Short mmCIF file of all heavy atoms in Angstrom, two decimals:
data_model
loop_
_atom_site.label_atom_id
_atom_site.label_comp_id
_atom_site.label_asym_id
_atom_site.label_seq_id
_atom_site.Cartn_x
_atom_site.Cartn_y
_atom_site.Cartn_z
N GLU S 285 3.86 0.42 -0.35
CA GLU S 285 3.23 -0.41 -1.38
C GLU S 285 4.04 -1.69 -1.62
O GLU S 285 3.52 -2.68 -2.12
CB GLU S 285 3.10 0.38 -2.67
CG GLU S 285 2.13 1.55 -2.55
CD GLU S 285 2.10 2.42 -3.78
OE1 GLU S 285 3.02 2.28 -4.64
OE2 GLU S 285 1.18 3.24 -3.91
N GLY S 286 5.30 -1.66 -1.26
CA GLY S 286 6.18 -2.82 -1.41
C GLY S 286 7.48 -2.55 -0.68
O GLY S 286 7.85 -1.39 -0.46
N LEU S 287 8.17 -3.61 -0.29
CA LEU S 287 9.43 -3.47 0.43
C LEU S 287 10.62 -3.54 -0.52
O LEU S 287 10.61 -4.32 -1.48
CB LEU S 287 9.57 -4.56 1.49
CG LEU S 287 8.59 -4.54 2.66
CD1 LEU S 287 8.92 -5.66 3.63
CD2 LEU S 287 8.60 -3.19 3.38
N THR S 288 11.64 -2.75 -0.24
CA THR S 288 12.89 -2.85 -0.98
C THR S 288 14.01 -3.40 -0.10
O THR S 288 15.10 -3.67 -0.59
CB THR S 288 13.31 -1.47 -1.51
OG1 THR S 288 13.40 -0.54 -0.41
CG2 THR S 288 12.29 -0.94 -2.51
N ASP S 289 13.73 -3.61 1.18
CA ASP S 289 14.71 -4.10 2.14
C ASP S 289 14.05 -5.22 2.95
O ASP S 289 13.10 -4.98 3.70
CB ASP S 289 15.17 -2.97 3.06
CG ASP S 289 16.24 -3.39 4.05
OD1 ASP S 289 16.49 -4.61 4.19
OD2 ASP S 289 16.83 -2.51 4.69
N GLU S 290 14.56 -6.45 2.82
CA GLU S 290 13.94 -7.60 3.48
C GLU S 290 14.06 -7.54 5.00
O GLU S 290 13.37 -8.27 5.70
CB GLU S 290 14.56 -8.90 2.96
CG GLU S 290 14.20 -9.20 1.50
CD GLU S 290 14.75 -10.53 1.04
OE1 GLU S 290 15.46 -11.19 1.86
OE2 GLU S 290 14.50 -10.93 -0.11
N SER S 291 14.95 -6.70 5.51
CA SER S 291 15.09 -6.59 6.96
C SER S 291 14.00 -5.73 7.58
O SER S 291 13.88 -5.65 8.80
CB SER S 291 16.46 -6.00 7.32
OG SER S 291 16.55 -4.63 6.91
N GLN S 292 13.18 -5.08 6.74
CA GLN S 292 12.12 -4.22 7.24
C GLN S 292 10.76 -4.90 7.13
O GLN S 292 10.62 -5.92 6.47
CB GLN S 292 12.10 -2.91 6.44
CG GLN S 292 13.35 -2.07 6.59
CD GLN S 292 13.28 -0.79 5.79
OE1 GLN S 292 12.79 -0.77 4.66
NE2 GLN S 292 13.77 0.30 6.37
N ASP S 293 9.77 -4.33 7.80
CA ASP S 293 8.39 -4.78 7.65
C ASP S 293 7.48 -3.57 7.77
O ASP S 293 7.95 -2.42 7.88
CB ASP S 293 8.03 -5.87 8.65
CG ASP S 293 8.06 -5.41 10.10
OD1 ASP S 293 8.19 -4.19 10.37
OD2 ASP S 293 7.95 -6.26 11.00
N TYR S 294 6.18 -3.80 7.73
CA TYR S 294 5.21 -2.70 7.76
C TYR S 294 5.46 -1.77 8.95
O TYR S 294 5.50 -0.54 8.79
CB TYR S 294 3.79 -3.27 7.82
CG TYR S 294 2.73 -2.21 7.97
CD1 TYR S 294 2.13 -1.63 6.86
CD2 TYR S 294 2.33 -1.77 9.23
CE1 TYR S 294 1.16 -0.64 7.00
CE2 TYR S 294 1.37 -0.78 9.39
CZ TYR S 294 0.80 -0.23 8.26
OH TYR S 294 -0.15 0.76 8.41
N VAL S 295 5.63 -2.33 10.15
CA VAL S 295 5.75 -1.51 11.35
C VAL S 295 7.05 -0.72 11.34
O VAL S 295 7.06 0.48 11.66
CB VAL S 295 5.64 -2.39 12.62
CG1 VAL S 295 5.98 -1.57 13.87
CG2 VAL S 295 4.24 -2.96 12.74
N SER S 296 8.15 -1.34 10.96
CA SER S 296 9.44 -0.62 10.98
C SER S 296 9.44 0.52 9.96
O SER S 296 9.96 1.61 10.24
CB SER S 296 10.60 -1.58 10.73
OG SER S 296 10.56 -2.11 9.41
N VAL S 297 8.85 0.30 8.79
CA VAL S 297 8.78 1.37 7.79
C VAL S 297 7.84 2.48 8.26
O VAL S 297 8.13 3.67 8.10
CB VAL S 297 8.33 0.82 6.43
CG1 VAL S 297 8.11 1.95 5.43
CG2 VAL S 297 9.37 -0.16 5.87
N ALA S 298 6.72 2.10 8.87
CA ALA S 298 5.78 3.11 9.37
C ALA S 298 6.44 3.97 10.44
O ALA S 298 6.23 5.20 10.49
CB ALA S 298 4.53 2.44 9.92
N ARG S 299 7.23 3.35 11.30
CA ARG S 299 7.92 4.13 12.33
C ARG S 299 8.99 5.04 11.72
O ARG S 299 9.19 6.17 12.18
CB ARG S 299 8.53 3.19 13.38
CG ARG S 299 7.46 2.62 14.31
CD ARG S 299 8.02 1.66 15.33
NE ARG S 299 7.01 1.32 16.33
CZ ARG S 299 6.91 0.15 16.95
NH1 ARG S 299 7.79 -0.82 16.67
NH2 ARG S 299 5.96 -0.08 17.83
N ALA S 300 9.68 4.56 10.69
CA ALA S 300 10.65 5.40 9.99
C ALA S 300 9.94 6.59 9.33
O ALA S 300 10.44 7.72 9.36
CB ALA S 300 11.40 4.59 8.94
N ASN S 301 8.76 6.34 8.75
CA ASN S 301 7.97 7.43 8.18
C ASN S 301 7.62 8.47 9.24
O ASN S 301 7.66 9.69 8.99
CB ASN S 301 6.68 6.90 7.56
CG ASN S 301 6.86 6.36 6.16
OD1 ASN S 301 7.90 6.57 5.52
ND2 ASN S 301 5.87 5.64 5.67
N LEU S 302 7.25 8.00 10.42
CA LEU S 302 6.88 8.91 11.50
C LEU S 302 8.04 9.82 11.86
O LEU S 302 7.88 11.04 12.02
CB LEU S 302 6.41 8.11 12.72
CG LEU S 302 6.12 8.92 13.99
CD1 LEU S 302 5.06 9.99 13.74
CD2 LEU S 302 5.69 7.99 15.13
N GLU S 303 9.23 9.25 11.98
CA GLU S 303 10.39 10.07 12.34
C GLU S 303 10.74 11.05 11.22
O GLU S 303 11.13 12.20 11.49
CB GLU S 303 11.59 9.17 12.66
CG GLU S 303 11.43 8.39 13.95
CD GLU S 303 11.02 9.29 15.11
OE1 GLU S 303 11.72 10.31 15.35
OE2 GLU S 303 10.01 8.99 15.76
N THR S 304 10.57 10.63 9.96
CA THR S 304 10.79 11.53 8.84
C THR S 304 9.83 12.70 8.88
O THR S 304 10.20 13.86 8.67
CB THR S 304 10.64 10.76 7.51
OG1 THR S 304 11.63 9.73 7.44
CG2 THR S 304 10.82 11.70 6.32
N LEU S 305 8.55 12.40 9.15
CA LEU S 305 7.55 13.45 9.24
C LEU S 305 7.84 14.40 10.41
O LEU S 305 7.72 15.64 10.26
CB LEU S 305 6.16 12.84 9.42
CG LEU S 305 5.55 12.19 8.17
CD1 LEU S 305 4.32 11.38 8.56
CD2 LEU S 305 5.17 13.24 7.13
#
Side-chain angles (χ1 to χ4, degrees):
E285 293 174 347
L287 294 182
T288 57
D289 183 349
E290 292 184 357
S291 68
Q292 296 180 320
D293 65 9
Y294 175 90
V295 172
S296 66
V297 174
R299 285 179 171 147
N301 277 347
L302 174 58
E303 291 310 307
T304 298
L305 286 168

